Amino acid sequence: MAATVSKPISSQETAAGIHVSLENVGVRYLLVPENRRTIKGRVLGLFGSPSVSSEFWALRNFSLSVNPGEIVGIVGPNGSGKSTALRVIAGIIEPTTGTVNIRGRVNPLLELGAAFNHELTGRENAYLYGSIYRISRKEMDELIPQIAAFAELGVFFDAPIKTYSSGMVARLAFAISTQIQPEILLLDEVLSVGDEQFQRKSFFRIKKLISRGAIVFIVSHGMGHIQQLCNRVIYLSKGRIVADGKPSQVLAQYQRDAAAGR
Amino acid sequence: MSHQIKQILDYREFIIQYTLQQLRTRYRGSVLGFLWTLLNPLFVSLALTIVFSFLNRQDMRSFGVYFFAGYIPWTFFAAATSASTMSIVGNANYVNRIFIPKGAFPIVTLFVNLLDLVAGLAVVFLLMLAFGAKFSAAMLFLPVSVIALIILVLGLSFLFATINVFVRDFSFFWASFSFLLFFFTPILYKLSALPPDARRYFEANPVLPFIRMFQEPIASGVVPSGETVLLATLYALVALVLGSTIFFRSQKSFYLYL
């Protein structure tokens, strides 16, 4: 099956309406033994154990259709494919099987702040991120004061990121990601960082994006956040969708399974 | 392929910003900062020039200019291609976590190193002034030489970045091999100093025409021969087509190995 990905981030395309649909998506990882990465390992591998690497499906038969206004929480145990699903939606990974159709500007960044350059200041990193979102320097000049204000970094905005606390890094990342007003927002384990007051501010901002017709995906282990924010929850296990529906029902099922040790 | 190129062009702002960021962090905290880009080739070249003018018993001035004319483009070639082997592996953080056309990274690495070439050529001109060497009209050919070299390096960068994703030995191999290749390229000596039988083999070196395109206008004041230019063009285009094709075909599976 051919894997086609319509590339997300063009503002002309978005006029047609924001939408995310994945059909029968499968993502296969090859577990390449570390010693096969080098020439020596490859040559030795010709003689010793069988050279076939074992494969691992991080996602299997993953189908999903999401409309504007939906805040989709993705839950599941570690290694169930949550982050892989976000990577497919962001266009970072092309699925091994199935089709992906994304209409709307995606924030192409997961694990907020993971790609910050810690030698550079918050301001300099903001400009770099702006260019990742394909926002011109000029437009960025206008957004910067709002980002600085929302992140509440004060004078630290012009200090290298290595001097920040982890909460400050998360605040800056969240401020940048939401200030550019993505139409499809992907959040991977971000809401647990930051104090309560900042969390409330973030929730408010997510709701505001939604009211403008955006789509939000949230991956989190914090059941409270998912319950509070989401209007739809997907429960993943071993790369497959176990349940997809109302937060209260799906979360209850997930917690029952977790308690049963499944 | 055209789709891939269009995508990379769409991200030109990122390429510019990321290049500037890399350059900014390179000299952060040093007192002389950007000046080191000029001082490095100056020191190395001066030291080598002095030593080799004794050994060769040649006029230090003419040998110095000849040596620089080849050494500067060589340094760029060696440094840029070596750095390119890490351009995907070293940016795994970005490649795996953010949607950016992957082809942007080898281009950024090339741009970062390009500054050294420009600074190095400026040093060559300064030394020519200091030595009282003649500036000939043939030097107007140099922009063509630079473009040919850039195309070659870009093509090899795509190729090397890809190879190193799958086989991590490659960056070590290339660092050693390019050092070896330096001694088999007439930079420290002249091709005419070799016995005619050996010359044939040295002339088969695919990097040689590119180096000649710098040596001849700068040191001899002549425009490179049609044969040299043709060979360089051919090698550069082959490298670019081959390198980018292999890169674009395999980029889908990079995430499996990063």
Side-chain angles (χ1 to χ4, degrees):
Chain A
M1 206 186 296
T4 55
V5 176
S6 77
K7 289 305 171 206
I9 322 154
S10 164
S11 40
Q12 291 99 8
E13 287 169 27
T14 63
I18 303 162
H19 189 72
V20 171
S21 88
L22 287 84
E23 237 171 286
N24 275 319
V25 165
V27 175
R28 184 182 56 196
Y29 282 90
L30 299 172
L31 301 177
V32 186
E34 197 56 40
N35 61 6
R36 291 284 155 69
R37 301 269 178 91
T38 62
I39 292 171
K40 187 182 135 210
R42 285 194 180 200
V43 172
L44 291 177
L46 291 178
F47 306 106
S49 54
S51 61
V52 185
S53 330
S54 50
E55 55 173 51
F56 164 73
W57 288 87
L59 279 184
R60 206 80 213 254
N61 297 329
F62 188 87
S63 295
L64 182 67
S65 175
V66 184
N67 291 311
E70 289 195 280
I71 310 182
V72 183
I74 304 180
V75 297
N78 287 329
S80 55
K82 303 185 295 288
S83 297
T84 304
L86 289 194
R87 282 182 191 189
V88 169
I89 295 167
I92 298 166
I93 295 179
E94 286 190 32
T96 321
T97 63
T99 51
V100 177
N101 240 304
I102 309 285
R103 262 184 282 152
R105 179 153 84 173
V106 186
N107 77 311
L109 142 106
L110 309 175
E111 298 162 58
L112 298 180
F116 276 144
N117 181 330
H118 287 245
E119 294 296 320
L120 296 181
T121 68
R123 185 186 301 274
E124 287 168 331
N125 271 293
Y127 275 108
L128 182 73
Y129 269 54
S131 73
I132 291 172
Y133 294 121
R134 299 197 4 216
I135 290 176
S136 72
R137 221 188 144 78
K138 233 183 179 171
E139 289 172 81
M140 219 42 209
D141 287 337
E142 286 166 28
L143 293 179
I144 286 281
Q146 300 164 43
I147 290 171
F150 190 84
E152 300 172 23
L153 292 171
V155 290
F156 277 97
F157 193 55
D158 286 303
I161 292 210
K162 62 183 173 190
T163 63
Y164 289 21
S165 70
S166 57
M168 290 161 78
V169 173
R171 254 150 50 202
L172 177 63
F174 186 85
I176 299 171
S177 294
T178 51
Q179 195 64 58
I180 58 140
Q181 306 203 343
E183 290 156 326
I184 299 165
L185 178 66
L186 310 175
L187 298 172
D188 194 354
E189 289 294 354
V190 239
L191 297 167
S192 37
V193 214
D195 56 25
E196 215 163 295
Q197 183 256 341
F198 187 78
Q199 273 181 16
R200 233 173 300 138
K201 234 168 84 171
S202 318
F203 283 20
F204 182 69
R205 181 162 269 204
I206 291 173
K207 293 251 157 99
K208 212 165 122 193
L209 281 175
I210 285 296
S211 69
R212 292 201 191 117
I215 290 175
V216 179
F217 287 92
I218 299 172
V219 165
S220 177
H221 285 290
M223 292 301 125
H225 297 143
I226 302 257
Q227 179 91 53
Q228 265 176 283
L229 264 172
C230 300
N231 46 31
R232 177 176 174 186
V233 174
I234 290 169
Y235 167 20
L236 276 181
S237 176
K238 293 180 184 151
R240 291 170 194 268
I241 296 179
V242 178
D244 176 353
K246 281 194 180 138
S248 51
Q249 288 167 6
V250 178
L251 286 176
Q253 186 183 349
Y254 173 52
Q255 274 158 339
R256 268 200 311 276
D257 285 0
R262 254 175 283 170
Chain B
M1 183 75 119
S2 65
H3 170 69
Q4 316 273 16
I5 294 166
K6 190 188 160 290
Q7 243 187 21
I8 291 174
L9 286 178
D10 280 348
Y11 276 79
R12 56 188 178 278
E13 180 70 24
F14 169 74
I15 295 177
I16 296 166
Q17 289 293 325
Y18 197 42
T19 306
L20 290 176
Q21 189 212 57
Q22 303 261 308
L23 290 173
R24 241 182 267 145
T25 39
R26 183 152 79 168
Y27 294 116
R28 182 152 287 201
S30 69
V31 179
L32 293 179
F34 172 73
L35 266 184
W36 282 111
T37 309
L38 290 170
L39 289 174
N40 275 335
L42 199 64
F43 283 150
V44 176
S45 302
L46 268 181
L48 286 168
T49 304
I50 292 165
V51 171
F52 280 94
S53 64
F54 286 130
L55 288 180
N56 291 349
R57 297 197 183 169
Q58 283 167 340
D59 180 21
M60 198 189 97
R61 288 177 187 181
S62 75
F63 178 74
V65 172
Y66 168 80
F67 171 72
F68 281 123
Y71 180 71
I72 295 297
W74 175 269
T75 321
F76 164 69
F77 170 79
T81 50
S82 293
S84 78
T85 61
M86 296 305 288
S87 60
I88 292 296
V89 172
N91 283 308
N93 230 5
Y94 277 74
V95 176
N96 267 349
R97 293 194 170 122
I98 305 177
F99 178 78
I100 298 169
K102 297 170 179 58
F105 294 103
I107 295 175
V108 167
T109 308
L110 171 71
F111 282 175
V112 169
N113 283 281
L114 200 55
L115 182 73
D116 293 340
L117 178 65
V118 175
L121 287 175
V123 170
V124 173
F125 299 147
L126 283 178
L127 284 159
M128 287 176 77
L129 281 175
F131 287 156
K134 254 193 248 158
F135 284 81
S136 97
M139 284 174 66
L140 292 173
F141 185 80
L142 286 177
V144 180
S145 318
V146 171
I147 290 168
L149 185 60
I150 288 176
I151 295 173
L152 173 77
V153 171
L154 183 63
L156 292 179
S157 295
F158 278 131
L159 181 66
F160 291 177
T162 310
I163 296 175
N164 208 48
V165 169
F166 301 108
V167 187
R168 300 288 160 91
D169 300 56
F170 187 77
S171 64
F172 301 105
F173 162 76
W174 184 251
S176 307
F177 185 79
S178 61
F179 189 62
L180 196 77
L181 196 59
F182 171 71
F183 292 100
F184 287 96
T185 309
I187 293 168
L188 285 169
Y189 50 88
K190 291 186 177 169
L191 193 63
S192 57
L194 296 167
D197 297 346
R199 224 175 282 173
R200 201 149 31 107
Y201 299 106
F202 280 72
E203 279 176 333
N205 176 354
V207 192
L208 180 59
F210 295 91
I211 301 298
R212 273 185 160 171
M213 282 168 70
F214 287 86
Q215 288 170 331
E216 285 168 9
I218 294 174
S220 320
V222 294
V223 172
S225 70
E227 194 196 345
T228 306
V229 179
L230 210 70
L231 265 181
T233 312
L234 183 73
Y235 290 147
L237 291 179
V238 167
L240 184 64
V241 171
L242 196 76
S244 56
T245 306
I246 290 175
F247 184 92
F248 291 138
R249 289 241 171 119
S250 26
Q251 61 177 358
K252 250 203 255 182
S253 44
F254 282 175
Y255 78 94
L256 292 169
Y257 297 88
L258 290 175

